[in-house]
Amino acid sequence: MTELTSLPQFPWLSLLVVLPLAGALLCLMHSKRPADCRALSLATSLAVFGVALYLFICHGQGEGRWLLYEDVSWIERYGARYVLALDGIALLMVLLTSFMQVSAVLLAWRVERQVSSFFALLLLLEAGLMGIFLAYDLVLFYLFWEVALIPMFFLISVWGGANRRQAALKFFLYTLVGSFFMLIAIIALYQIHGAQSGIYSFVIGDLLQTQLTAAQEGWLFAGFMAAFIVKSPLVPFHTWLTDALTESPAAGSLDLTGLLLKTGIYGLIRVAFPLFPNATESFLPILAVFALVGLFHAAWSAYHQDDIKRLLAYSSISHLGLVVLGLAAWQLTAWEGSILLMVTHGITTGALFVLVALIQERTGTRSLKELGGLWGQAPCLGFLFLLFSLASLGLPGLANFAGEILVLLGTFQQHPFWAVIALLGVVFAAAYMLRLVQGVLWGPVYKERSLPDLTLREWIILLPMAILVVWMGVYPEPFLAPMHGAVASLLAGGLP
């Protein structure tokens, strides 16, 4: 650890991981009292959000790369340490995770089957995600990576749709194979570093000093990329996502698209790029091709979907293609745009999945052919559906626009041709979102029915998201400022 000093501090970062774990345990202990499980889950999620918000307010404008860290001896004999570190990028992801988790708990409020297990898995998933975004030791990172995989598998396979078991198995196998190659790469890097320095360590700050041949760096980089590309997910490794999102319960879809998809891209930023700068430099053009192919392929597939949940799943792949393109541009503005777009995409697409769940509850269908006229039947629900759809397609003044324009501007400065191609993809993306809005809100009424509008609980879920979508579109600076130092430091540390 050369970058961090050792000053005693309150373990805020550990609290972000421990609180949801404790909440999950309490839910299991109250398995015969579903109402208590709901209340415990909500109280835990609110407490975690409170801690994340406190860190954002107190440390969000801090200078330097690291805002907080914790370094404790763990499995010292094998060089594994309990190291959590928070920079501006991790701070935004932690804040997003805690915010979306409160929405997921409220959305799952009506779950009636195996209530304690459901909420315990939701909280376990939150703990895993927090660990991924905070871990600065590769053993710890891998541990949390796997912890996040398990609850999502059970959420899909037990509480999912008709084809839930197939979708869960596909999700599990894809991500497990990717994780296997990452584990091999972690062990190999650990051994090489130990042989060179005599110090066996899994701490990323130590491993940055490892001297690698071109062949070693290429193979190790490929091992990590196998995990991160699948989880991102980049075309053609994306097929698990559409099935998993379609079959997930509503709260699972919210966490999957809003949070879990971001872990692959976060792994690129936190682990793969800094550890292997030469391999990264060679791989960036290939990464750009992956991103652009995904942007167009997913947009085209989304346009032809009848199931609106599946349409949104493809739209997520398309948006994440733009995020990855910004990283491939290796430019400060593009990176800040990519990270901001990760956050705004989590909120806008997460809100759309919430609305799809509410529409399905009311109409019993997700088919565009069987929807239409929702604006007149449930105007408040229709208004929010329009707001989040417009935000998703990047309308100026709403959340996604700020991230998209920064990605395009930054990419244009480095690679004008990439930016022009991506701009065409963004325009194409507007086509499927407008088809979605037209089909759901103003299309011909398939069946005359009286639909209840938003309830108080549903307003509580969606209104904060709507406020954030407008705020981040009009004034994104408070969310850009925390990441500036961290992004500049990461870009300065690499060779491209």
Side-chain angles (χ1 to χ4, degrees), residues 79-98:
R81 298 186 65 80
Y82 176 84
V83 183
L84 303 180
L86 183 82
D87 64 359
I89 302 170
L91 178 60
L92 289 177
M93 300 313 298
V94 162
L95 189 64
L96 175 70
T97 301
S98 61

Side-chain angles (χ1 to χ4, degrees), residues 406-468:
L406 289 176
V407 168
L408 292 172
L409 283 173
T411 304
F412 190 82
Q413 290 181 22
Q414 293 290 92
H415 305 282
F417 182 68
W418 295 4
V420 171
I421 298 294
L423 183 60
L424 293 175
V426 171
V427 173
F428 188 49
Y432 65 75
M433 290 308 296
L434 292 176
R435 176 174 174 264
L436 173 67
V437 169
Q438 172 66 23
V440 173
L441 299 184
W442 294 298
V445 177
Y446 175 77
K447 185 189 296 183
E448 288 294 343
R449 49 200 164 194
S450 176
L451 298 182
D453 215 332
L454 294 176
T455 65
L456 178 62
R457 177 180 63 89
E458 292 160 357
W459 270 114
I460 292 172
I461 296 172
L462 291 166
L463 188 59
M465 293 182 177
I467 293 171
L468 270 177

Side-chain angles (χ1 to χ4, degrees), residues 225-246:
M225 292 301 289
F228 299 150
I229 281 181
V230 168
K231 193 66 80 71
S232 292
L234 294 182
V235 174
F237 308 101
H238 67 291
T239 57
W240 64 270
L241 175 65
T242 48
D243 292 339
L245 272 176
T246 305

Side-chain angles (χ1 to χ4, degrees), residues 89-110:
I89 302 170
L91 178 60
L92 289 177
M93 300 313 298
V94 162
L95 189 64
L96 175 70
T97 301
S98 61
F99 173 73
M100 298 297 284
Q101 182 67 11
V102 175
S103 302
V105 169
L106 287 171
L107 187 61
W109 206 255
R110 290 184 178 175

Side-chain angles (χ1 to χ4, degrees), residues 152-486:
M152 184 53 72
F153 169 77
F154 284 109
L155 285 171
I156 298 172
S157 62
V158 177
W159 289 272
N163 298 314
R164 58 186 182 275
R165 290 189 175 84
Q166 286 176 298
L169 185 62
K170 196 172 181 181
F171 161 75
F172 190 80
L173 289 177
Y174 266 70
T175 50
L176 191 67
V177 170
S179 301
F180 172 73
F181 287 111
M182 180 168 69
L183 179 60
I184 293 175
I186 289 173
I187 294 171
L189 181 60
Y190 165 80
Q191 292 290 352
I192 293 170
H193 176 79
Q196 283 181 4
S197 65
I199 300 171
Y200 286 86
S201 171
F202 290 99
V203 179
I204 294 175
D206 293 339
L207 295 174
L208 286 172
Q209 313 304 320
T210 311
Q211 300 297 316
L212 299 171
T213 66
Q216 287 173 332
E217 189 168 341
W219 281 109
L220 293 174
F221 180 73
F224 282 97
M225 292 301 289
F228 299 150
I229 281 181
V230 168
K231 193 66 80 71
S232 292
L234 294 182
V235 174
F237 308 101
H238 67 291
T239 57
W240 64 270
L241 175 65
T242 48
D243 292 339
L245 272 176
T246 305
E247 299 301 327
S248 287
S253 296
L254 183 67
D255 278 351
L256 184 54
T257 190
L259 304 171
L260 201 62
L261 293 188
K262 311 302 186 296
T263 57
I265 296 172
Y266 185 81
L268 293 176
I269 296 171
R270 174 65 69 231
V271 179
F273 290 170
L275 283 176
F276 312 108
N278 294 303
T280 299
E281 182 180 21
S282 303
F283 188 71
L284 288 182
I286 301 171
L287 193 63
V289 171
F290 273 119
L292 289 171
V293 169
L295 181 65
F296 280 94
H297 172 79
W300 177 261
S301 300
Y303 186 81
H304 292 86
Q305 298 303 312
D306 178 59
D307 185 328
I308 56 177
K309 200 170 181 182
R310 205 168 180 86
L311 186 155
L312 291 175
Y314 277 110
S315 83
S316 290
I317 298 170
S318 183
H319 279 109
L320 293 177
L322 193 61
V323 171
V324 173
L325 182 71
L327 299 182
W330 205 266
Q331 199 271 350
L332 182 64
T333 305
W335 267 53
E336 290 185 347
S338 289
I339 295 164
L340 184 65
L341 188 56
M342 276 205 293
V343 177
T344 58
H345 169 267
I347 297 170
T348 55
T349 308
L352 283 171
F353 273 106
V354 172
L355 287 164
V356 168
L358 300 184
I359 291 171
Q360 188 177 10
E361 277 182 16
R362 287 160 167 77
T363 64
T365 183
R366 301 193 307 253
S367 170
L368 272 177
K369 294 175 184 172
E370 299 177 3
L371 293 169
L374 189 69
W375 185 271
Q377 296 170 317
C380 293
L381 195 155
F383 169 75
L384 289 181
F385 192 87
L386 178 63
L387 176 71
F388 291 119
S389 297
L390 293 177
S392 182
L393 67 80
L395 189 76
L398 297 177
N400 282 22
F401 174 77
E404 289 181 3
I405 196 68
L406 289 176
V407 168
L408 292 172
L409 283 173
T411 304
F412 190 82
Q413 290 181 22
Q414 293 290 92
H415 305 282
F417 182 68
W418 295 4
V420 171
I421 298 294
L423 183 60
L424 293 175
V426 171
V427 173
F428 188 49
Y432 65 75
M433 290 308 296
L434 292 176
R435 176 174 174 264
L436 173 67
V437 169
Q438 172 66 23
V440 173
L441 299 184
W442 294 298
V445 177
Y446 175 77
K447 185 189 296 183
E448 288 294 343
R449 49 200 164 194
S450 176
L451 298 182
D453 215 332
L454 294 176
T455 65
L456 178 62
R457 177 180 63 89
E458 292 160 357
W459 270 114
I460 292 172
I461 296 172
L462 291 166
L463 188 59
M465 293 182 177
I467 293 171
L468 270 177
V469 160
V470 176
W471 179 13
M472 298 179 79
V474 175
Y475 186 56
E477 180 57 25
F479 301 93
L480 289 169
M483 75 173 83
H484 185 79

